[in-house]
Amino acid sequence: MTPALVLLGLEEDRRFRWVPPDSLLRGLTSDDVASVGSPTVLGLRESVETVVTANGWRLVPDSADYEIAIFTVARTELRRETRTEQAVTATTGLPRCDESKGQRAGSTCSNNPVSSRSYEVGVPLTVRNVFHVVRRRADGAVRVWVNPDGNLPAVEATVARDLLRLFLSRDPE
């Protein structure tokens, strides 16, 4: 995202429009951009629209005072995990006997202490986040919310509450 002023408040009775996220941010994938049509995003969009229209905002196709984008982003990250491997018994080089299987110490297993080693591996993990972006066109001031998409009702409540606080702040242009 291009460095911008932080949006500290919102005025009532303004015009807004929904915009594709790649018009506000760089580096998005085609899946990120396509997410605007997903049921998840459409539901979140409805809750944002309810808050802004309750404060006198009107949806317009162009010549808007504000631009809003909501979308999801999924990225694969490597999470470090420690794994422990119990190798062979330290003195004989044989695997440890499993007494539950009736194994007894001898030529195929041993009851001597087992050596172990720990090592770290990178495990791929897909991280999904929901982005809400509101930009004032007059000066480019922006407010961005980034939330994990695991609890969408909490995301809706957080963004709605923050939007209401912004309306109470009444940041002049």
Side-chain angles (χ1 to χ4, degrees):
M1 180 168 228
T2 305
L5 299 171
V6 176
L7 192 58
L8 300 174
L10 297 171
E11 308 86 19
E12 293 180 343
D13 301 318
R14 298 294 176 174
R15 296 169 309 206
F16 78 99
R17 68 180 177 161
W18 295 103
V19 297
D22 55 349
S23 70
L24 301 176
L25 301 159
R26 293 185 307 258
L28 299 177
T29 67
S30 58
D31 287 342
D32 301 338
V33 174
S35 72
V36 299
S38 72
T40 297
V41 170
L42 293 174
L44 293 169
R45 196 168 147 163
E46 189 175 304
S47 66
V48 167
E49 196 163 325
T50 299
V51 173
V52 298
T53 57
N55 285 280
W57 284 27
R58 295 169 311 284
L59 180 62
V60 296
D62 54 22
S63 300
D65 301 306
Y66 288 86
E67 295 176 325
I68 304 174
I70 303 173
F71 57 99
T72 58
V73 170
R75 297 291 185 268
T76 301
E77 298 177 355
L78 285 181
R79 184 180 68 213
R80 307 294 290 163
E81 283 187 5
T82 301
R83 298 200 175 154
T84 302
E85 179 180 85
Q86 292 192 348
V88 294
T89 55
T91 55
T92 65
L94 295 173
R96 185 104 173 128
C97 294
D98 185 351
E99 293 180 13
S100 68
K101 294 181 181 176
Q103 294 178 336
R104 299 201 186 275
S107 62
T108 59
C109 65
S110 172
N111 286 331
N112 291 346
V114 175
S115 67
S116 63
R117 68 180 184 106
S118 295
Y119 56 95
E120 287 191 354
V121 295
V123 178
L125 172 70
T126 300
V127 177
R128 288 180 169 71
N129 288 303
V130 177
F131 283 72
H132 289 72
V133 181
V134 177
R135 182 172 76 99
R136 184 171 47 217
R137 292 187 65 212
D139 62 2
V142 171
R143 184 63 151 236
V144 178
W145 293 264
V146 181
N147 292 287
D149 80 344
N151 185 352
L152 293 177
V155 170
E156 279 183 304
T158 299
V159 174
R161 183 185 62 241
D162 289 350
L163 283 170
L164 289 171
R165 285 182 184 149
L166 289 171
F167 278 111
L168 293 173
S169 297
R170 306 259 192 275
D171 184 25
E173 290 183 49

